[in-house]
Amino acid sequence: MFRSGKLRIVRNAALIAVLILSVFVSYVRAQEGQPIRDIVVEGNQRIEISTIQNYLTLQPGSNYSGVEADKSLKALFATGLFSDVNLRLQGGTLIVRVTENPVVNRILLEGNRRIQADQIRNELQLKPRQVYTRAKVQADTQRIQQIYRRSGRFAATVEPKVIQLPQNRVDLVFEITEGPVTGVSRIRFIGNQRFSDSRLREEIQTKETAWYRFLSSDDSYDPDRVTFDREKLRKFYLSKGFADFRVINAVAELLPSRESFIITFTVEEGDRYRFGAMDVVSQIKGVEGAQLLPFVTTKTGEFYNADQVESTIQDITTELGRLGYAFVDVRPEVKKDREKRIIDITYTIGESPRVFVERIDIIGNVRTLDKVIRREFRLAEGDAFNAAKLRRTRTRLRGLNFFDKVEITENRGSAPDKVVLTTEVTERSTGELSVGVGYSTTESVLGDISIRERNLLGRGQDLKIGFSLSTRRQQVDMGFTEPYFLDRELAAGIDVSRRRTDYERRSSLDQTTTQASPRFAYPITEHLSQQVYYRIRQDKIDDIQFSASRFIKAQEGTYLTSAIGHSLTYDRRDDRIEPTTGYVLRLSQEVAGLGGTERYLKNVLTGYKYYSLSEDVVLSLGAEAGIINALGDDVRLPNRYFIGGDTFRGFETGGIGPRDITTGDALGGEKYYKAEADVSFPIGLPNEFGIKGRLFTEIGALWDTSDSGPEVVDSASPRVSIGTGVQWKSPLGLIRVDFGVPVVKEDYDEDELVRINFGSRF
């Protein structure tokens, strides 16, 4: 009985629903086709009635249609201006009832301490004075969470809150709980047999969380970094011969605490291959594949290495560029023998015409004149293209130090045999009004103020006026250089300075030097240049201490030096500012005696060689030797050599060489040599920190003085020091700390364990 009653209720409900539907359908049919005489808009506060009517597809004079009504509703909702819209036809009047979305008055952020508010607001879709919608708020909430995830905070939560204001306005508040940095507690590998987990961890950028990585973000989880690590693993295995290697997947598992991830890389190593037959096939007329074989670095029998394949392609491309072929396509055709585990490679060079420079375009230079940039080009319009000269041009432009970025791209010209060189530069500030403070072991606390313009009026001219003051030195100097004197590749300039230095610790005296030196410099060949100068200098030695050496006291007085000199420089470095490869040789000679009181001949020979051991590790080997010969009288103290401090780490300034052992005063020497080996390398911190470590060793000697007596010690025996250091390009200037230890020395030499140089510009 209960069941029959239930069926009766369901049957009655269905009849009622059918009746309501029938009435609604009858009502719609009654309205369908009814003409619209007028349109009335209700509920709008700030949006004009005409604006709302323009979005309607139903207009006065047209017949009402359910399809058109639906289109009108969709059009009004699509504007994002309304939270609700209702249409109804009453009598012949179409009534449009709208509820406007509020306008955002302010967007407030609360709880953000690690990320600046401006950085978050820049990525938000909603802005003040825009229309508020829930969809936009949800999207912005997700954006804020994504910002925090990019910074490694996956536990961050964002809760939007709306504060209602008069006149249909709202304040939108995002309450942020940042949470801790989501680290990486463990990195695991599955499927690796040839290399251990620890070895593979060294190859990827993501690191496991450790206390000593407080200055790095590599131990925080970043999905983009994990994707990059997949590629790094692939490149590592390909460089070791595993041509079939692949990363099956990389899974990051967030622990329940939401404070760290466990990352698991699943890999498939595959077999290890060796290089088989190597060949070069050229489709360029006049260029035989055999003449390019010496540029193939992949050797038969060695383990396959994808990096060597890329290097070979680059070397062949560079050689063809030197021959004038700018647009060449070098394709390595790989034939893999899985049974023998051998890979044969044929480097195929597609057809390419010899190319000539049609035009040189320069963009991005606002202050610097075009001619300043063009005169550094080793190629001119109409010349045959040459990749080596183009690289040299790029190096010369960077060496100007006028630009943050120099990019030269090769674009196809108006014909297949023509190329357009587009040079894009980003200028850096070349004018400096700087006040400096700092500290060095040699001069203690120091400060300076200088005015300099390295690109005067955009013409490339260099003008500097400076004042320096320290506890041991006061100096004023001025210099001017015109790099292209008389529109020729001839640099002309003059330097004028006056310096007073306290040498009390070194030689128990004060020295005042005033000098002027006009100079000219010009290239002899592409890499060989010469500078010629004249120097007139006055040295005054006074304030000699009572306890000073008798040889120092004998130097008291004023001396005038009139000298002419030159230097020859052969420079094959890849960069003048921070070289990584190449070498530089320099011979300097100076003769004094064209008037004045001093007569001597000075010779100095210097050479440095740079090796790039890896991407960020650079080895430099340097040697230097000098000799000064008196032409008549003895060589006086201001013209002698002093070594130590910055020039020989591990020893004080003037710490080696001839010395009066009764007073400890350094007397200077007339002959010296020095050699050094220096390795700079990253210490595991991100490159943007600008911190590098250094290892060095130095060997050298200074001997032979005009002073003689039983109290003078003078030995040409070599001194050797070893050490390490740290260099930091800090926001406050370059800071260098070197720790040097003499391992071979004389008893009377003066040691220096720590040398600090710190400078700052404001």
Side-chain angles (χ1 to χ4, degrees):
M1 183 166 181
F2 175 77
R3 182 176 181 184
S4 61
K6 187 175 180 181
L7 289 172
R8 193 181 304 114
I9 293 172
V10 172
R11 194 180 303 115
N12 292 336
L15 290 172
I16 293 171
V18 170
L19 180 62
I20 293 173
L21 181 61
S22 300
V23 172
F24 177 76
V25 170
S26 299
Y27 175 75
V28 171
R29 286 178 176 176
Q31 288 186 326
E32 191 78 23
Q34 186 175 346
I36 299 173
R37 296 192 302 271
D38 192 16
I39 296 177
V40 176
V41 178
E42 298 177 351
N44 60 307
Q45 297 181 14
R46 65 179 186 278
I47 301 174
E48 298 292 335
I49 294 177
S50 59
T51 302
I52 297 175
Q53 290 177 340
N54 286 336
Y55 284 102
L56 298 173
T57 59
L58 293 170
Q59 296 296 328
S62 63
N63 293 329
Y64 181 85
S65 167
V67 174
E68 295 301 322
D70 185 59
K71 290 181 180 179
S72 296
L73 285 172
K74 290 180 179 179
L76 288 172
F77 275 115
T79 64
L81 299 174
F82 310 104
S83 60
D84 189 25
V85 180
N86 180 263
L87 299 180
R88 74 177 189 275
L89 188 63
Q90 186 174 339
T93 301
L94 180 65
I95 300 175
V96 182
R97 179 72 183 178
V98 298
T99 302
E100 294 180 353
N101 278 322
V103 172
V104 177
N105 180 53
R106 293 183 301 169
I107 297 177
L108 304 175
L109 302 172
E110 294 182 357
N112 58 306
R113 297 180 179 179
R114 302 293 181 179
I115 299 179
Q116 295 182 356
D118 289 343
Q119 182 180 348
I120 297 176
R121 287 195 181 99
N122 289 338
E123 296 201 32
L124 296 182
Q125 183 179 356
L126 271 173
K127 306 291 181 184
R129 296 183 297 278
Q130 288 186 354
V131 177
Y132 167 93
T133 66
R134 290 183 178 181
K136 290 181 179 179
V137 173
Q138 291 175 353
D140 284 343
T141 300
Q142 295 176 357
R143 279 191 178 89
I144 296 174
Q145 289 178 329
Q146 188 62 33
I147 292 172
Y148 275 94
R149 288 180 177 180
R150 290 201 302 262
S151 66
R153 296 179 184 273
F154 280 76
T157 60
V158 182
E159 184 178 352
K161 291 187 176 180
V162 177
I163 301 174
Q164 299 289 341
L165 299 174
Q167 299 178 351
N168 200 25
R169 295 177 301 125
V170 296
D171 281 345
L172 179 59
V173 181
F174 291 100
E175 293 185 354
I176 302 171
T177 303
E178 294 182 323
V181 173
T182 311
V184 178
S185 60
R186 189 177 176 189
I187 300 175
R188 302 181 301 189
F189 296 89
I190 298 176
N192 54 309
Q193 299 177 357
R194 299 292 187 122
F195 300 99
S196 65
D197 284 15
S198 59
R199 178 69 179 89
L200 295 181
R201 289 190 194 104
E202 294 176 1
E203 295 300 322
I204 62 177
Q205 187 174 349
T206 303
K207 305 298 180 185
E208 293 180 347
T209 301
W211 66 268
Y212 53 83
R213 293 197 173 99
F214 61 93
L215 291 177
S216 172
S217 61
D218 288 345
D219 59 346
S220 62
Y221 174 72
D222 184 343
D224 293 334
R225 189 186 299 130
V226 172
T227 302
F228 178 64
D229 289 338
R230 295 175 63 128
E231 181 62 20
K232 292 201 71 174
L233 285 172
R234 191 186 71 85
K235 291 187 67 175
F236 169 72
Y237 269 93
L238 288 178
S239 69
K240 300 299 181 182
F242 296 90
D244 296 329
F245 172 83
R246 65 191 183 102
V247 179
I248 298 175
N249 58 44
V251 178
E253 178 185 357
L254 183 62
L255 297 181
S257 64
R258 299 184 66 85
E259 293 184 356
S260 63
F261 280 88
I262 295 177
I263 301 177
T264 304
F265 293 94
T266 304
V267 302
E268 184 179 298
E269 293 180 329
D271 293 327
R272 195 176 190 185
Y273 290 79
R274 293 181 181 271
F275 284 120
M278 300 290 117
D279 194 13
V280 178
V281 176
S282 173
Q283 298 175 358
I284 300 176
K285 295 181 179 179
V287 178
E288 298 295 332
Q291 72 184 81
L292 297 173
L293 280 175
F295 298 94
V296 176
T297 59
T298 51
K299 305 299 181 184
T300 301
E302 295 181 353
F303 282 114
Y304 174 80
N305 188 330
D307 292 341
Q308 289 185 6
V309 175
E310 290 297 324
S311 177
T312 296
I313 294 172
Q314 184 60 43
D315 291 347
I316 292 175
T317 302
T318 300
E319 175 62 14
L320 291 171
R322 189 186 66 81
L323 298 175
Y325 299 94
F327 306 107
V328 293
D329 181 20
V330 182
R331 299 186 306 275
E333 297 180 359
V334 176
K335 182 180 179 182
K336 188 184 298 183
D337 188 332
R338 298 184 183 275
E339 292 184 0
K340 297 181 179 179
R341 286 176 289 189
I342 290 177
I343 295 178
D344 298 333
I345 300 179
T346 300
Y347 297 95
T348 303
I349 304 167
E351 286 189 68
S352 177
R354 197 165 186 192
V355 176
F356 296 85
V357 178
E358 179 181 11
R359 194 173 68 252
I360 298 175
D361 293 338
I362 300 173
I363 57 176
N365 54 317
V366 178
R367 293 183 58 251
T368 307
L369 301 179
D370 271 16
K371 72 174 185 177
V372 173
I373 299 174
R374 289 182 183 275
R375 66 195 185 192
E376 300 299 328
F377 266 79
R378 303 297 92 184
L379 287 167
E381 292 166 345
D383 287 352
F385 176 81
N386 188 302
K389 290 183 177 180
L390 190 62
R391 288 198 307 274
R392 179 62 179 164
T393 297
R394 189 179 292 109
T395 300
R396 289 174 64 93
L397 287 173
R398 289 173 179 167
L400 291 175
N401 206 22
F402 296 165
F403 311 108
D404 282 325
K405 182 183 74 172
V406 177
E407 291 185 358
I408 304 177
T409 56
E410 305 147 27
N411 303 308
R412 295 189 181 275
S414 59
D417 63 342
K418 293 182 179 180
V419 61
V420 175
L421 302 179
T422 302
T423 305
E424 183 177 0
V425 299
T426 302
E427 292 181 317
R428 64 173 52 163
S429 176
T430 56
E432 301 173 3
L433 173 58
S434 61
V435 178
V437 296
Y439 174 85
S440 77
T441 309
T442 302
E443 302 189 25
S444 187
V445 179
L446 57 93
D448 68 71
I449 179 171
S450 65
I451 302 172
R452 185 180 185 186
E453 175 53 66
R454 293 181 287 104
N455 188 12
L456 187 64
L457 301 176
R459 299 176 180 274
Q461 298 167 336
D462 191 341
L463 174 65
K464 178 182 179 181
I465 302 175
F467 306 88
S468 300
L469 178 67
S470 72
T471 55
R472 299 194 180 102
R473 175 173 58 88
Q474 303 86 47
Q475 178 173 332
V476 57
D477 59 276
M478 184 194 76
F480 176 77
T481 302
E482 166 54 67
Y484 273 73
F485 186 59
L486 300 177
D487 286 330
R488 297 178 180 271
E489 203 167 353
L490 173 67
I494 185 170
D495 299 307
V496 179
S497 67
R498 180 178 175 85
R499 180 179 69 238
R500 182 169 178 81
T501 309
D502 179 359
Y503 290 121
E504 177 183 343
R505 290 182 56 185
R506 190 190 77 182
S507 303
S508 304
L509 59 86
D510 288 352
Q511 180 176 322
T512 303
T513 300
T514 305
Q515 69 173 354
S517 177
R519 49 185 163 74
F520 295 92
Y522 52 89
I524 299 174
T525 65
E526 183 61 35
H527 302 285
L528 179 64
S529 62
Q530 183 175 32
Q531 182 183 67
V532 179
Y533 63 88
Y534 170 74
R535 187 198 317 276
I536 183 166
R537 188 183 78 213
Q538 182 188 70
D539 294 294
K540 182 180 180 181
I541 296 177
D542 56 8
D543 288 348
I544 298 177
Q545 296 182 9
F546 178 78
S547 59
S549 167
R550 64 185 178 95
F551 302 105
I552 297 296
K553 293 178 179 179
Q555 297 287 332
E556 186 172 14
T558 301
Y559 310 101
L560 182 64
T561 302
S562 175
I564 187 171
H566 81 104
S567 63
L568 280 171
T569 303
Y570 188 70
D571 193 345
R572 296 302 300 262
R573 295 174 294 179
D574 63 334
D575 191 278
R576 296 180 184 178
I577 301 173
E578 293 184 355
T580 58
T581 60
Y583 60 92
V584 58
L585 300 173
R586 182 175 293 110
L587 171 65
S588 301
Q589 295 177 302
E590 182 177 286
V591 57
L594 305 175
T597 60
E598 307 305 296
R599 290 172 174 78
Y600 60 80
L601 175 63
K602 180 186 289 188
N603 297 274
V604 177
L605 180 63
T606 306
Y608 277 87
K609 173 69 174 173
Y610 300 89
Y611 299 91
S612 180
L613 303 182
S614 67
E615 184 177 356
D616 296 314
V617 180
V618 178
L619 167 66
S620 67
L621 302 176
E624 183 177 327
I627 181 172
I628 182 170
N629 297 313
L631 302 177
D633 296 333
D634 295 337
V635 177
R636 299 188 192 274
L637 193 71
N639 297 313
R640 296 176 188 172
Y641 300 114
F642 290 88
I643 292 182
D646 291 329
T647 58
F648 203 136
R649 289 162 289 186
F651 296 92
E652 284 194 2
T653 302
I656 68 173
R659 185 177 303 277
D660 186 328
I661 58 173
T662 61
T663 64
D665 290 333
L667 304 177
E670 299 174 16
K671 299 182 180 70
Y672 80 95
Y673 71 87
K674 185 175 75 74
E676 66 176 69
D678 192 308
V679 178
S680 65
F681 53 89
I683 58 176
L685 299 176
N687 291 333
E688 59 266 23
F689 285 13
I691 300 177
K692 286 191 174 183
R694 310 183 76 91
L695 293 174
F696 63 84
T697 181
E698 302 194 33
I699 181 173
L702 172 67
W703 73 99
D704 197 2
T705 178
S706 303
D707 301 323
S708 60
E711 65 270 48
V712 176
V713 288
D714 185 3
S715 172
S717 62
R719 277 74 156 180
V720 180
S721 69
I722 59 174
T724 185
V726 177
Q727 176 177 302
W728 180 24
K729 292 182 179 179
S730 75
L732 299 177
L734 182 66
I735 299 176
R736 287 189 59 176
V737 181
D738 290 320
F739 301 89
V741 178
V743 293
V744 178
K745 63 175 185 175
E746 296 294 327
D747 294 337
Y748 54 84
D749 292 337
E750 296 185 1
D751 305 346
E752 181 182 75
L753 177 62
V754 182
R755 170 153 288 267
I756 302 173
N757 284 287
F758 161 67
S760 178
R761 290 286 183 272
F762 305 98

